Structures are given as structure tokens and as C-alpha cells.
Amino acid sequence: MAKRTFFITGTDTDVGKTVVATGLIETANQAALSTAAIKPVAAGCELTESGMQNTDALLLQAAASYSLSYQQVNPITLKLAVAPHIAAAQEGKTLSASRLSGFCRGLTLLPIDILFIEGAGGWRVPLNNRETLADIPKQLNSEVILIVGLTLGCINHALLTAQAIRDDGLRLAGWVGNILYPDMPCLDENIDTLKRLIPESCLGVVPWLGDMSPKQVASYVSLPN
């Protein structure tokens, strides 16, 4: 049974959740901890010889030490690369937090040390008219790791998201800064401000280096205490 479960969320879409998640998985692997990963719903999937698949989910599948089928890693696939509830509506599907958290809960029963769950977009992305992705970690009572896309506006986005996580009664286990642009103005000052205003631990800052392997990312991040 998984000893710890981390839900990976971001301050926005395209802030590097998967890049950082694979680095955290690799960090755990290097510490001789067994890992599994799941992206319960993915929008922006493509038809392959093996069926509908998502690039981010494939990266999570490859990074984890415990071998899972693609269906276990990404049980709900949606074609359109938009908010999940909109993509689901386009395909005549209905999303629910209980079903998605059920997929995750099944993997917590595996003989592993850590289960990583990657969300889609940010903390309050809708699943339907009543629920958001935040309801998944709430139902699982999982710890949360926040990926902060370091760009103009990141301080506001990070503080609001961190507060929303706390208000939902969950433990923010830490945050990781991911530099999105090589020439961001006042980068160091932004990072220092985030470290000062977010009481939870900074688990690392990932530099802008283009495509990086999980091993490269792992050298910049650490696991929460």
C-alpha cells in the first residue's frame, strides 16, 4: 500500500507539471523508493496504434518504477486539448470526482512507497457543474505539491493557489518553481518573494534549459519531508 500520495497541481496550464513530476519521481527512484504515477484524466490525446494516448501520461508511465499499463496510468482520455469538462462534453462523456479518485485509490493499494497523481491545468479546473479537480485530492486526502510557472504574474497566481489548497483542508507539502522563459525580468526577486510569502518549503527551482530528462530535473528538486 502506498505510504504517501502526492497530487501535482500547477498555478496554470503549461507550467511544467509533468516535467517536474517526472523529476520528483526520478528523485524518489534514486532514493530506492518505489513509485507509481497516474494522470486520471488527460485532454489532448492522440490516436496511436495502441489507442488514444497522451504525451504527458506516457512520460509519467516511463518515469515510474512500478510498471503499469497505459490504461491504469491514464484511464480517461479526451481528444480536444481544452478544459476537461469541455472536452468531455464534446465527446458526450461525463466526468465525476468520485470515479477519477476511484482510479487513483485503486493504485494506492499497490506495494509502492509513493503514488504521484498529476492533475490537469490548475487547482480549480472544472470537472462538471459542481466539482473541480481539487475534489480528487480532497476525497483522497492526499498531500499537494504546487508547480509555480515562473513568469510575470506568478506571485499572485502562486499565493492564490496555495491559499486555495489550504482552504480546502489539504497539506501543501511544498512548491517547485519552474522557469518558463530564459529572460524573465527580476527572476531572483520573484523567487525570493515567493519563498518569503509561501511558508511551505520550496522543493527546488528548475532552470530554463529546453527539454530535460527526468534525471536532469531530479538534480534540481527534492522530495517533501
Side-chain angles (χ1 to χ4, degrees):
M1 189 170 183
K3 298 175 183 176
R4 299 185 79 176
T5 300
F6 294 115
F7 185 88
I8 310 294
T9 191
T11 48
D12 201 347
T13 190
D14 293 330
V15 295
K17 289 191 303 298
T18 304
V19 169
V20 177
T22 58
L24 290 167
I25 292 169
E26 177 61 24
T27 299
N29 293 340
Q30 292 178 7
L33 298 171
S34 54
T35 58
I38 179 172
K39 189 175 179 69
V41 58
C45 298
E46 296 182 355
L47 183 61
T48 71
E49 293 181 356
S50 301
M52 293 293 288
Q53 295 188 336
N54 174 266
T55 300
D56 291 346
L58 289 169
L59 291 172
L60 294 173
Q61 181 185 32
S65 65
Y66 195 95
S67 180
L68 295 172
S69 69
Y70 183 84
Q71 180 65 26
Q72 290 174 294
V73 174
N74 179 207
I76 303 297
T77 59
L78 301 168
K79 183 177 181 180
L80 198 61
V82 296
H85 72 296
I86 296 175
Q90 293 285 327
E91 298 181 28
K93 298 178 180 178
T94 301
L95 303 177
S96 72
S98 61
R99 186 182 182 206
L100 295 175
S101 62
F103 292 127
C104 301
R105 189 173 288 108
L107 298 190
T108 65
L109 302 177
L110 295 172
I112 56 174
D113 292 306
I114 304 177
L115 173 64
F116 292 88
I117 304 169
E118 184 182 318
W123 186 246
R124 288 278 189 254
V125 170
L127 291 174
N128 51 53
N129 291 334
R130 298 179 298 103
E131 299 175 310
T132 72
L133 273 164
D135 287 298
I136 297 174
K138 286 167 65 177
Q139 291 181 8
L140 297 170
N141 195 31
S142 63
E143 301 176 79
V144 181
I145 296 175
L146 173 61
I147 313 306
V148 179
L150 293 174
T151 184
L152 293 179
C154 66
I155 295 173
N156 179 62
H157 294 162
L159 295 180
L160 287 174
T161 305
Q163 189 58 53
I165 293 167
R166 298 185 202 104
D167 288 347
D168 281 339
L170 295 175
R171 176 178 183 253
L172 177 57
W175 61 276
V176 176
N178 185 38
I179 299 174
L180 299 183
Y181 303 101
D183 55 353
M184 176 183 170
C186 301
L187 173 62
D188 292 340
E189 290 86 347
N190 275 265
I191 294 172
D192 289 343
T193 301
L194 289 168
K195 288 181 177 179
R196 186 173 69 253
L197 296 180
I198 299 178
E200 292 84 5
S201 297
C202 175
L203 305 175
V205 176
V206 180
W208 188 88
L209 295 174
D211 292 333
M212 288 198 295
S213 69
K215 286 187 177 180
Q216 289 174 307
V217 178
S219 66
Y220 296 101
V221 299
S222 60
L223 293 173
N225 293 325

